[in-house]
Amino acid sequence: MRPDLFRGHAAIGLTLLSLVFDGPSLAAQQPGTPAYQSAFARPLPIDSGSTALAQSLQKLHTRASLAMVTAHPDDEDGGMLTYESRGQGVDTSLLTLNRGEGGQNVMTSDYWDELGTLRTQEHLAAGNYYGIHQYYSRVADFGFSKTIDEALRTWGEQRVLYDAVRFIRLTRPLVVTSVFVGNVSDGHGHHQVAGYTAQQVYKLAGDPTVFPDQIKAGLLPWSPLKVYCRLPFARVTDKGIYDYATGHYAPVRFRNYVNNTWIEGLPSATVEVPSGTYNPLLGASYMQIAREGLNEQKTQNGGIAIPLPRATSSPYHLYASRVAAAEHESSFFDGIDISLAGIASYAPVTEQGPWREKLNALNATVESAIRNFDAANPSTIAPTLASGLAQTNTLLDDVAKSGLPAEARYNMAHELTVKQRQFNLALQQSLGLALLANTSEDSSPTRPGPFGDMSLQQVTSQTVVPGQSIGVAVHIANQGSEPVSLSSVEVLSQAGPGFTITPNASITGELAAGASRDQSFGVTVPPHPELTKPYFSRPSLAQTWYDIDDPRYLGLPTRPYPLLAQATVTYHGVSIQLAGVVQTVNRVNGIGPVLQPLLIAPAISLLVTPRAGIVPIDDGAFDLSVKLHSSVKDPAKGTVHLDLPAGWTSTPASADFSTQREGEDQNLSFRVQPSSVQPKLYTITAVADYNGEKYTEGFETVGYPGVRPYPYYRPATYRTTGVDVKIAPGLKVGYVMGTGDDVGSSLEGLGVHPTYLAAQDIAAANLSQYDVIILGIRTYATRPELKTFNTCILDYVKNGGTVIVQYQTPEYDHNFGPYPLTLSGDPEKVIEEDSKVQILAPNDPVLNWPNKITTADFDNWVEERGHGFIRQWDSHYVAPTEMHDAGQDPQKGGLLYAHYGKGYYVYMAYAFFRQMPEGVPGSYRIMANLISMSRNHALATATGN
């Protein structure tokens, strides 16, 4: 472990001075900064009606707050978070360090930053079940990391701590937790960083010399009272802790990063969180609800089952505490005053008395509401809740006007503002108030038909473009038994200034019990609004963190959606705020109409396919496809051309486009003729000219049915590298798609146009027409026909074909090859993309024709060397290469091939699904040799073919 992991607070503050953040100075989020507004159009059933109100009352009765720090989406202890938030009323927040962009995807072909965009939306859907607030740091998942040293070095330790300290100062939790402990027991480096960070922020966030720019920007120091980490999941044997990241064993000892001591043996359980407890109001256990949330994160696992009801718990060890703590506790908050009167503890001791008196009076109001709560008639406690909101508003005013020390005022106002929001929500729930806003093709107010309101059956545009005008319908309903007064209704821009928003006739005034009102608005988007896109980006995968394009949004899941509807309702002398993101109506076949937030998109979007590749230096002509998408409601005409390197030309030089309606796509093809190709990087950009504007980027909407879609933007740019590569002529290639796999389309850079094989193609066993068949990554996990008809694959090889199997998961571990080979449960991986490679058989025919493969072909790889290295194999296989990470045993199972019958069977663990779409030259040269094996005369001679 590096000694500088334990440097002091002051050193961290000083180190910030030498840390260069990209772009403008990142100001800490302050009051007035746009807050993240949930984009879910309607609450979950467990967040509706009296069920929701019962939970709100519990939250009003405590000041308990908790934060969790974890590494990736789906790492969180959902059962614990749900128990604390929904079962104990704890104000609960989650910081996830990255968005899972380096992981796998079993649902769609999105990967890298597109996958991070998709997993963010899945994660938000999961958090909706947990009942939490979600935040993210700026670092990106760069793939599997074996050690904490590597992860901190790659991300930048100060970058991670800066965002985590800021999160703690922003949310100000009483307790900090993590699933991880910062040890090899966590599984891999990213997880270890999360455990390490949770303990570090406990001691750093309260020090004003640490990241002082945050203090200057308006956040004050904050010292949580306790920090816990979950008991390690590690497999412990007499050899020690098994580190599955490295395959080695480590001593059974755990670092306490707060006081820099060691815990010998496994940490003990200080507290057991009973996440398997059944909640009759919710109709399920907290663990079951949490698993419903985890099931939303399907890209990682394809979906999981809801567990059977049974007792289960989450054990946590206390690593540090600023209050007296026992060896065994009943909750995270033992020893902490979590009553409302505890808010007075921020005031000097001599001044706490009057504040406690006021807070006790507020608590008495909450307890009165709890005693008189009637689930069948929740409006009965609305007057009491209104009184509680009025008391909270007065307390906030009193704190602001008081002579208390600035930090005391800040902390008291923070917690009282949380109560203010909770009272506001509880009043909505008790009164049955609802607001829904959606775009509308008809500017007139909604009128129900003979069979009720059918307005949301009508599909509306998902996007709006600069300069366009749309209608917005805001529906407000009083579903309870108490009359209220509607004071105001408005639609606000969250996408910059310049919007023209015009309401029709006012609908304010008395809103009787059971009544509803509809207000329509005309909205015109300005010429240059904020597009709905991630507020962060990075220039390449080599950068393992995001640049923050708008510092106001740092830490938020996404930038705020463009339009927000708000209404103010007056009841018993207090104002209740209702709000909702403006939605559109989209019809998803099999699901029906789905409400999704309105997006602002450019008029013209361009995507270049592929994004990266190679150009052979001796025969460089290649095809480039440009997909044009129009978001213009009316017909649109313009031209597209390629911005080419000097001396290069395209046919055509410029292409006209003409679309008739919104949402229409047009595919444009260009034949590019390079001139004097050199072994270097070239860039080509597609440019669309429309209506006096130039467009050089485009978006894809990532998602799948059941998850909220979100646009991912990228430049309309193609990166290509001149490469000395040759290939056997006239090859016919069959390709069996895996998941998250673009190798098939990348083959176009070699002049190969693969045929994609369906299940019936393999079942028919009519494969002899192909020189080679390539199986995509994880195909044995996702393509069941391969298991059923594996004999057809082997017969194809036996009769003279070549099969190339890219990396597989344990589903492949059933000797599907012609001779025995095994992954042995936990397949090996080599994750250091610059790890040394050894050519074991430099004269092997496969490495010598048609290209001479050397160690230079393994230079400049991205993310990793490969996954799913074979551990054991039959002597018929040849292993011509070896590579390994630092401290890892030599790995020769990355490339194996065997002569079988008249053909060849290849297993390749190399991560070409990463390398080829990124245009890594060596991956193309190696692949060219593999797909040319059937024409390799030296190989045929060596194997007796």
Side-chain angles (χ1 to χ4, degrees), residues 7 125 436 609:
R7 57 178 169 269
L436 180 66
T609 304

Side-chain angles (χ1 to χ4, degrees), residues 38 59 210 432 601 617 626 700 750 773 781 828 849 854 861 877:
S38 173
K59 287 183 178 295
V210 175
I617 60 176
V626 178
E700 291 178 296
L750 294 171
I773 293 174
E828 285 280 6
W849 189 87
T854 70
W861 282 31
Y877 292 97

Side-chain angles (χ1 to χ4, degrees), residues 419-456:
K419 294 298 129 193
Q420 187 182 53
R421 289 196 299 265
Q422 291 171 350
F423 270 116
N424 187 79
L425 180 59
L427 270 166
Q428 293 178 42
Q429 294 160 345
S430 66
L431 292 168
L433 299 175
L435 178 149
L436 180 66
N438 61 278
T439 57
S440 173
E441 304 295 338
D442 185 355
S443 61
S444 60
T446 300
R447 290 183 177 84
F451 299 102
D453 185 356
M454 302 291 285
S455 61
L456 296 183

Side-chain angles (χ1 to χ4, degrees), residues 890-935:
Q891 297 299 310
K892 300 179 181 179
L895 176 62
L896 302 173
Y897 76 88
H899 173 225
Y900 179 64
K902 299 178 182 178
Y904 303 97
Y905 189 92
V906 181
Y907 180 88
M908 184 184 68
Y910 299 159
F912 278 14
F913 72 101
R914 303 287 196 197
Q915 314 310 320
M916 293 184 72
E918 285 300 308
V920 175
S923 64
Y924 283 84
R925 286 169 46 83
I926 297 168
M927 180 61 83
N929 282 22
L930 295 178
I931 64 178
S932 299
M933 286 175 69
S934 64
R935 310 281 183 84

Side-chain angles (χ1 to χ4, degrees), residues 83-126:
Y83 172 83
E84 295 296 338
S85 175
R86 295 192 179 280
Q88 302 301 301
V90 178
D91 191 52
T92 307
S93 300
L94 173 65
L95 173 68
T96 306
L97 296 183
N98 64 65
R99 298 169 188 258
E101 42 279 272
Q104 307 299 311
N105 183 357
V106 303
M107 293 299 294
T108 71
S109 61
D110 301 303
Y111 54 95
W112 293 121
D113 296 354
E114 295 98 314
L115 176 58
T117 299
L118 175 52
R119 292 198 70 189
T120 298
Q121 294 302 320
E122 290 182 320
H123 202 211
L124 291 172

